[in-house]
Amino acid sequence: MVQLSFTLPLPAGKRGEGAALQLAGKMGVDPAMVVHARPIGEQHTFFVVYGRVGHLVEPDRVVVAERDYPLLSPKDVNAAVRGRLRRKLVVVGACIGTDAHTVGIDAILNVKGIAGEKGLEYYRELRVVNLGAQVSVADLVEAAGQEKADAVLVSQVVTQRDAHLQNVRAMSAAFREAFPAARRPLLVAGGPRFDELMAAELGVDRIFGRGTTPREVASYLAHTVTVRSR
């Protein structure tokens, strides 16, 4: 059984409800039932439709980006960085292009964090440089060089015309041009509309999607950067 919500450009009434049921039927919901209808202005109606679908879910055929590193506590992250790097791990973060949505990058970097987890600034062995919003790729590359960054975190929320994909590709290309392979920082992109399986296609080392926590990012950085430094 599934529940769908959508808006149709039709006035509230029986004709609109009939159209909602017709759409649900074309989507494979049969039988379908309108359980909520609310007018939005004079010419639009919001619907909630409930009903049965006959499609099967095949979990064995689902492909996802599995976590391939241990999930560490802040104490263990600090110990791993201190023991292997013998210095602080430097992280530079930013929203690039015209993206001014800093909620995501701040949730990962700022000490207050999110969902009960403190951000990367809380970790003693991580030095965080948050460049904020609307940072050009050129400025990000320059800052990463000046700070001797081990990792660069980029957040992208704006997705119109695939701006998030274009910006990350441009960033990846710029870093590969500016740094020798052995000195290039770890490149990490994140945002709610990214496909975590697209890292190689976009030229980055890792993509984090919706719901990522600071602890996941810190664990990944501690694992990957320290492995690369061996």
PDB file of all heavy atoms in Angstrom, residues 76-105:
ATOM      1  N   ASP A  76      38.329   8.109  18.693  1.00  0.00           N
ATOM      2  CA  ASP A  76      39.089   7.236  17.795  1.00  0.00           C
ATOM      3  C   ASP A  76      39.550   7.974  16.542  1.00  0.00           C
ATOM      4  O   ASP A  76      40.621   7.676  16.006  1.00  0.00           O
ATOM      5  CB  ASP A  76      38.247   6.023  17.407  1.00  0.00           C
ATOM      6  CG  ASP A  76      38.046   5.060  18.572  1.00  0.00           C
ATOM      7  OD1 ASP A  76      38.878   5.081  19.493  1.00  0.00           O
ATOM      8  OD2 ASP A  76      37.043   4.317  18.570  1.00  0.00           O
ATOM      9  N   VAL A  77      38.744   8.923  16.058  1.00  0.00           N
ATOM     10  CA  VAL A  77      39.165   9.741  14.921  1.00  0.00           C
ATOM     11  C   VAL A  77      40.417  10.525  15.295  1.00  0.00           C
ATOM     12  O   VAL A  77      41.415  10.545  14.555  1.00  0.00           O
ATOM     13  CB  VAL A  77      38.041  10.705  14.481  1.00  0.00           C
ATOM     14  CG1 VAL A  77      38.584  11.755  13.502  1.00  0.00           C
ATOM     15  CG2 VAL A  77      36.896   9.946  13.832  1.00  0.00           C
ATOM     16  N   ASN A  78      40.376  11.174  16.454  1.00  0.00           N
ATOM     17  CA  ASN A  78      41.534  11.949  16.899  1.00  0.00           C
ATOM     18  C   ASN A  78      42.769  11.071  17.054  1.00  0.00           C
ATOM     19  O   ASN A  78      43.882  11.445  16.669  1.00  0.00           O
ATOM     20  CB  ASN A  78      41.216  12.642  18.227  1.00  0.00           C
ATOM     21  CG  ASN A  78      40.243  13.793  18.065  1.00  0.00           C
ATOM     22  OD1 ASN A  78      40.236  14.471  17.043  1.00  0.00           O
ATOM     23  ND2 ASN A  78      39.409  14.010  19.064  1.00  0.00           N
ATOM     24  N   ALA A  79      42.580   9.884  17.608  1.00  0.00           N
ATOM     25  CA  ALA A  79      43.707   8.977  17.822  1.00  0.00           C
ATOM     26  C   ALA A  79      44.305   8.508  16.500  1.00  0.00           C
ATOM     27  O   ALA A  79      45.525   8.422  16.357  1.00  0.00           O
ATOM     28  CB  ALA A  79      43.251   7.779  18.654  1.00  0.00           C
ATOM     29  N   ALA A  80      43.440   8.228  15.530  1.00  0.00           N
ATOM     30  CA  ALA A  80      43.923   7.764  14.226  1.00  0.00           C
ATOM     31  C   ALA A  80      44.728   8.845  13.530  1.00  0.00           C
ATOM     32  O   ALA A  80      45.801   8.580  12.970  1.00  0.00           O
ATOM     33  CB  ALA A  80      42.739   7.337  13.354  1.00  0.00           C
ATOM     34  N   VAL A  81      44.228  10.075  13.559  1.00  0.00           N
ATOM     35  CA  VAL A  81      44.937  11.176  12.907  1.00  0.00           C
ATOM     36  C   VAL A  81      46.258  11.467  13.618  1.00  0.00           C
ATOM     37  O   VAL A  81      47.308  11.608  12.978  1.00  0.00           O
ATOM     38  CB  VAL A  81      44.052  12.442  12.873  1.00  0.00           C
ATOM     39  CG1 VAL A  81      44.842  13.640  12.357  1.00  0.00           C
ATOM     40  CG2 VAL A  81      42.816  12.212  12.023  1.00  0.00           C
ATOM     41  N   ARG A  82      46.206  11.528  14.932  1.00  0.00           N
ATOM     42  CA  ARG A  82      47.430  11.833  15.699  1.00  0.00           C
ATOM     43  C   ARG A  82      48.479  10.735  15.540  1.00  0.00           C
ATOM     44  O   ARG A  82      49.669  11.017  15.384  1.00  0.00           O
ATOM     45  CB  ARG A  82      47.059  12.002  17.174  1.00  0.00           C
ATOM     46  CG  ARG A  82      48.220  12.393  18.074  1.00  0.00           C
ATOM     47  CD  ARG A  82      47.746  12.766  19.471  1.00  0.00           C
ATOM     48  NE  ARG A  82      47.016  11.665  20.099  1.00  0.00           N
ATOM     49  CZ  ARG A  82      45.697  11.663  20.310  1.00  0.00           C
ATOM     50  NH1 ARG A  82      44.967  12.711  19.959  1.00  0.00           N
ATOM     51  NH2 ARG A  82      45.113  10.635  20.897  1.00  0.00           N
ATOM     52  N   GLY A  83      48.038   9.502  15.532  1.00  0.00           N
ATOM     53  CA  GLY A  83      48.981   8.393  15.464  1.00  0.00           C
ATOM     54  C   GLY A  83      49.599   8.200  14.099  1.00  0.00           C
ATOM     55  O   GLY A  83      50.758   7.761  13.994  1.00  0.00           O
ATOM     56  N   ARG A  84      48.871   8.533  13.041  1.00  0.00           N
ATOM     57  CA  ARG A  84      49.369   8.255  11.692  1.00  0.00           C
ATOM     58  C   ARG A  84      49.916   9.503  11.001  1.00  0.00           C
ATOM     59  O   ARG A  84      50.933   9.449  10.317  1.00  0.00           O
ATOM     60  CB  ARG A  84      48.265   7.618  10.857  1.00  0.00           C
ATOM     61  CG  ARG A  84      47.842   6.256  11.389  1.00  0.00           C
ATOM     62  CD  ARG A  84      46.669   5.693  10.624  1.00  0.00           C
ATOM     63  NE  ARG A  84      46.154   4.472  11.260  1.00  0.00           N
ATOM     64  CZ  ARG A  84      45.017   3.882  10.910  1.00  0.00           C
ATOM     65  NH1 ARG A  84      44.270   4.391   9.938  1.00  0.00           N
ATOM     66  NH2 ARG A  84      44.615   2.790  11.528  1.00  0.00           N
ATOM     67  N   LEU A  85      49.220  10.644  11.134  1.00  0.00           N
ATOM     68  CA  LEU A  85      49.717  11.861  10.490  1.00  0.00           C
ATOM     69  C   LEU A  85      50.747  12.587  11.335  1.00  0.00           C
ATOM     70  O   LEU A  85      51.600  13.303  10.811  1.00  0.00           O
ATOM     71  CB  LEU A  85      48.548  12.814  10.188  1.00  0.00           C
ATOM     72  CG  LEU A  85      47.608  12.467   9.034  1.00  0.00           C
ATOM     73  CD1 LEU A  85      46.626  13.613   8.804  1.00  0.00           C
ATOM     74  CD2 LEU A  85      48.374  12.176   7.758  1.00  0.00           C
ATOM     75  N   ARG A  86      50.580  12.470  12.653  1.00  0.00           N
ATOM     76  CA  ARG A  86      51.430  13.190  13.617  1.00  0.00           C
ATOM     77  C   ARG A  86      51.342  14.704  13.435  1.00  0.00           C
ATOM     78  O   ARG A  86      52.290  15.441  13.684  1.00  0.00           O
ATOM     79  CB  ARG A  86      52.883  12.707  13.530  1.00  0.00           C
ATOM     80  CG  ARG A  86      53.025  11.212  13.793  1.00  0.00           C
ATOM     81  CD  ARG A  86      54.466  10.774  13.864  1.00  0.00           C
ATOM     82  NE  ARG A  86      54.549   9.334  14.045  1.00  0.00           N
ATOM     83  CZ  ARG A  86      54.400   8.718  15.225  1.00  0.00           C
ATOM     84  NH1 ARG A  86      54.141   9.437  16.295  1.00  0.00           N
ATOM     85  NH2 ARG A  86      54.496   7.400  15.307  1.00  0.00           N
ATOM     86  N   ARG A  87      50.215  15.137  12.978  1.00  0.00           N
ATOM     87  CA  ARG A  87      49.880  16.558  12.845  1.00  0.00           C
ATOM     88  C   ARG A  87      48.375  16.642  12.664  1.00  0.00           C
ATOM     89  O   ARG A  87      47.695  15.615  12.533  1.00  0.00           O
ATOM     90  CB  ARG A  87      50.584  17.191  11.634  1.00  0.00           C
ATOM     91  CG  ARG A  87      50.214  16.524  10.310  1.00  0.00           C
ATOM     92  CD  ARG A  87      50.766  17.283   9.125  1.00  0.00           C
ATOM     93  NE  ARG A  87      50.519  16.598   7.872  1.00  0.00           N
ATOM     94  CZ  ARG A  87      49.354  16.600   7.209  1.00  0.00           C
ATOM     95  NH1 ARG A  87      48.316  17.284   7.699  1.00  0.00           N
ATOM     96  NH2 ARG A  87      49.220  15.952   6.073  1.00  0.00           N
ATOM     97  N   LYS A  88      47.850  17.856  12.627  1.00  0.00           N
ATOM     98  CA  LYS A  88      46.411  17.985  12.420  1.00  0.00           C
ATOM     99  C   LYS A  88      46.041  17.775  10.957  1.00  0.00           C
ATOM    100  O   LYS A  88      46.795  18.144  10.053  1.00  0.00           O
ATOM    101  CB  LYS A  88      45.931  19.362  12.897  1.00  0.00           C
ATOM    102  CG  LYS A  88      45.987  19.530  14.409  1.00  0.00           C
ATOM    103  CD  LYS A  88      45.249  20.770  14.857  1.00  0.00           C
ATOM    104  CE  LYS A  88      45.221  20.833  16.388  1.00  0.00           C
ATOM    105  NZ  LYS A  88      44.425  21.986  16.888  1.00  0.00           N
ATOM    106  N   LEU A  89      44.902  17.170  10.756  1.00  0.00           N
ATOM    107  CA  LEU A  89      44.360  16.969   9.416  1.00  0.00           C
ATOM    108  C   LEU A  89      43.608  18.238   9.023  1.00  0.00           C
ATOM    109  O   LEU A  89      42.705  18.679   9.743  1.00  0.00           O
ATOM    110  CB  LEU A  89      43.431  15.760   9.422  1.00  0.00           C
ATOM    111  CG  LEU A  89      42.915  15.205   8.092  1.00  0.00           C
ATOM    112  CD1 LEU A  89      42.484  13.745   8.267  1.00  0.00           C
ATOM    113  CD2 LEU A  89      41.729  16.008   7.565  1.00  0.00           C
ATOM    114  N   VAL A  90      43.971  18.835   7.904  1.00  0.00           N
ATOM    115  CA  VAL A  90      43.416  20.133   7.499  1.00  0.00           C
ATOM    116  C   VAL A  90      42.264  19.925   6.513  1.00  0.00           C
ATOM    117  O   VAL A  90      42.429  19.272   5.480  1.00  0.00           O
ATOM    118  CB  VAL A  90      44.492  21.025   6.859  1.00  0.00           C
ATOM    119  CG1 VAL A  90      43.897  22.380   6.473  1.00  0.00           C
ATOM    120  CG2 VAL A  90      45.663  21.196   7.816  1.00  0.00           C
ATOM    121  N   VAL A  91      41.119  20.500   6.860  1.00  0.00           N
ATOM    122  CA  VAL A  91      39.918  20.390   6.034  1.00  0.00           C
ATOM    123  C   VAL A  91      39.475  21.781   5.602  1.00  0.00           C
ATOM    124  O   VAL A  91      39.289  22.671   6.439  1.00  0.00           O
ATOM    125  CB  VAL A  91      38.760  19.719   6.805  1.00  0.00           C
ATOM    126  CG1 VAL A  91      37.518  19.610   5.926  1.00  0.00           C
ATOM    127  CG2 VAL A  91      39.179  18.352   7.316  1.00  0.00           C
ATOM    128  N   VAL A  92      39.316  21.984   4.292  1.00  0.00           N
ATOM    129  CA  VAL A  92      38.785  23.240   3.758  1.00  0.00           C
ATOM    130  C   VAL A  92      37.418  22.954   3.168  1.00  0.00           C
ATOM    131  O   VAL A  92      37.258  22.020   2.372  1.00  0.00           O
ATOM    132  CB  VAL A  92      39.719  23.827   2.677  1.00  0.00           C
ATOM    133  CG1 VAL A  92      39.065  25.046   2.010  1.00  0.00           C
ATOM    134  CG2 VAL A  92      41.056  24.214   3.291  1.00  0.00           C
ATOM    135  N   GLY A  93      36.408  23.734   3.577  1.00  0.00           N
ATOM    136  CA  GLY A  93      35.055  23.513   3.094  1.00  0.00           C
ATOM    137  C   GLY A  93      34.453  24.763   2.507  1.00  0.00           C
ATOM    138  O   GLY A  93      34.835  25.883   2.867  1.00  0.00           O
ATOM    139  N   ALA A  94      33.498  24.592   1.578  1.00  0.00           N
ATOM    140  CA  ALA A  94      32.868  25.749   0.936  1.00  0.00           C
ATOM    141  C   ALA A  94      31.647  25.322   0.146  1.00  0.00           C
ATOM    142  O   ALA A  94      31.482  24.147  -0.205  1.00  0.00           O
ATOM    143  CB  ALA A  94      33.859  26.449   0.001  1.00  0.00           C
ATOM    144  N   CYS A  95      30.787  26.300  -0.138  1.00  0.00           N
ATOM    145  CA  CYS A  95      29.752  26.175  -1.165  1.00  0.00           C
ATOM    146  C   CYS A  95      30.283  26.917  -2.387  1.00  0.00           C
ATOM    147  O   CYS A  95      30.626  28.096  -2.281  1.00  0.00           O
ATOM    148  CB  CYS A  95      28.439  26.804  -0.705  1.00  0.00           C
ATOM    149  SG  CYS A  95      27.678  26.002   0.702  1.00  0.00           S
ATOM    150  N   ILE A  96      30.378  26.252  -3.514  1.00  0.00           N
ATOM    151  CA  ILE A  96      31.013  26.869  -4.669  1.00  0.00           C
ATOM    152  C   ILE A  96      29.990  27.393  -5.664  1.00  0.00           C
ATOM    153  O   ILE A  96      28.802  27.077  -5.599  1.00  0.00           O
ATOM    154  CB  ILE A  96      31.975  25.889  -5.364  1.00  0.00           C
ATOM    155  CG1 ILE A  96      31.243  24.617  -5.800  1.00  0.00           C
ATOM    156  CG2 ILE A  96      33.138  25.562  -4.453  1.00  0.00           C
ATOM    157  CD1 ILE A  96      32.116  23.654  -6.594  1.00  0.00           C
ATOM    158  N   GLY A  97      30.470  28.190  -6.620  1.00  0.00           N
ATOM    159  CA  GLY A  97      29.591  28.780  -7.628  1.00  0.00           C
ATOM    160  C   GLY A  97      28.687  29.825  -7.002  1.00  0.00           C
ATOM    161  O   GLY A  97      29.100  30.583  -6.125  1.00  0.00           O
ATOM    162  N   THR A  98      27.437  29.844  -7.434  1.00  0.00           N
ATOM    163  CA  THR A  98      26.474  30.821  -6.909  1.00  0.00           C
ATOM    164  C   THR A  98      25.686  30.269  -5.735  1.00  0.00           C
ATOM    165  O   THR A  98      24.771  30.925  -5.242  1.00  0.00           O
ATOM    166  CB  THR A  98      25.486  31.242  -8.014  1.00  0.00           C
ATOM    167  OG1 THR A  98      24.790  30.076  -8.494  1.00  0.00           O
ATOM    168  CG2 THR A  98      26.217  31.898  -9.178  1.00  0.00           C
ATOM    169  N   ASP A  99      26.036  29.082  -5.274  1.00  0.00           N
ATOM    170  CA  ASP A  99      25.284  28.427  -4.198  1.00  0.00           C
ATOM    171  C   ASP A  99      25.528  29.145  -2.876  1.00  0.00           C
ATOM    172  O   ASP A  99      26.657  29.249  -2.405  1.00  0.00           O
ATOM    173  CB  ASP A  99      25.709  26.962  -4.084  1.00  0.00           C
ATOM    174  CG  ASP A  99      24.655  26.100  -3.405  1.00  0.00           C
ATOM    175  OD1 ASP A  99      24.011  26.604  -2.466  1.00  0.00           O
ATOM    176  OD2 ASP A  99      24.480  24.944  -3.822  1.00  0.00           O
ATOM    177  N   ALA A 100      24.444  29.639  -2.277  1.00  0.00           N
ATOM    178  CA  ALA A 100      24.549  30.369  -1.013  1.00  0.00           C
ATOM    179  C   ALA A 100      23.936  29.596   0.150  1.00  0.00           C
ATOM    180  O   ALA A 100      23.744  30.145   1.227  1.00  0.00           O
ATOM    181  CB  ALA A 100      23.858  31.735  -1.138  1.00  0.00           C
ATOM    182  N   HIS A 101      23.635  28.323  -0.065  1.00  0.00           N
ATOM    183  CA  HIS A 101      22.989  27.500   0.960  1.00  0.00           C
ATOM    184  C   HIS A 101      24.060  26.839   1.834  1.00  0.00           C
ATOM    185  O   HIS A 101      24.591  25.792   1.480  1.00  0.00           O
ATOM    186  CB  HIS A 101      22.102  26.440   0.318  1.00  0.00           C
ATOM    187  CG  HIS A 101      21.002  27.011  -0.520  1.00  0.00           C
ATOM    188  ND1 HIS A 101      21.225  27.512  -1.783  1.00  0.00           N
ATOM    189  CD2 HIS A 101      19.679  27.168  -0.269  1.00  0.00           C
ATOM    190  CE1 HIS A 101      20.078  27.944  -2.284  1.00  0.00           C
ATOM    191  NE2 HIS A 101      19.137  27.749  -1.388  1.00  0.00           N
ATOM    192  N   THR A 102      24.355  27.446   2.958  1.00  0.00           N
ATOM    193  CA  THR A 102      25.442  26.951   3.804  1.00  0.00           C
ATOM    194  C   THR A 102      24.968  26.018   4.909  1.00  0.00           C
ATOM    195  O   THR A 102      25.784  25.545   5.700  1.00  0.00           O
ATOM    196  CB  THR A 102      26.188  28.126   4.460  1.00  0.00           C
ATOM    197  OG1 THR A 102      25.271  28.854   5.298  1.00  0.00           O
ATOM    198  CG2 THR A 102      26.762  29.060   3.412  1.00  0.00           C
ATOM    199  N   VAL A 103      23.681  25.731   4.984  1.00  0.00           N
ATOM    200  CA  VAL A 103      23.166  24.897   6.080  1.00  0.00           C
ATOM    201  C   VAL A 103      23.855  23.540   6.098  1.00  0.00           C
ATOM    202  O   VAL A 103      24.269  23.038   7.148  1.00  0.00           O
ATOM    203  CB  VAL A 103      21.641  24.728   5.962  1.00  0.00           C
ATOM    204  CG1 VAL A 103      21.136  23.722   6.996  1.00  0.00           C
ATOM    205  CG2 VAL A 103      20.942  26.064   6.156  1.00  0.00           C
ATOM    206  N   GLY A 104      24.020  22.929   4.925  1.00  0.00           N
ATOM    207  CA  GLY A 104      24.622  21.612   4.861  1.00  0.00           C
ATOM    208  C   GLY A 104      26.079  21.605   5.261  1.00  0.00           C
ATOM    209  O   GLY A 104      26.507  20.796   6.095  1.00  0.00           O
ATOM    210  N   ILE A 105      26.873  22.499   4.682  1.00  0.00           N
ATOM    211  CA  ILE A 105      28.300  22.523   4.989  1.00  0.00           C
ATOM    212  C   ILE A 105      28.529  22.935   6.439  1.00  0.00           C
ATOM    213  O   ILE A 105      29.419  22.416   7.119  1.00  0.00           O
ATOM    214  CB  ILE A 105      29.073  23.462   4.018  1.00  0.00           C
ATOM    215  CG1 ILE A 105      30.586  23.208   4.104  1.00  0.00           C
ATOM    216  CG2 ILE A 105      28.748  24.909   4.250  1.00  0.00           C
ATOM    217  CD1 ILE A 105      31.029  21.922   3.483  1.00  0.00           C
TER     218      ILE A 105
END
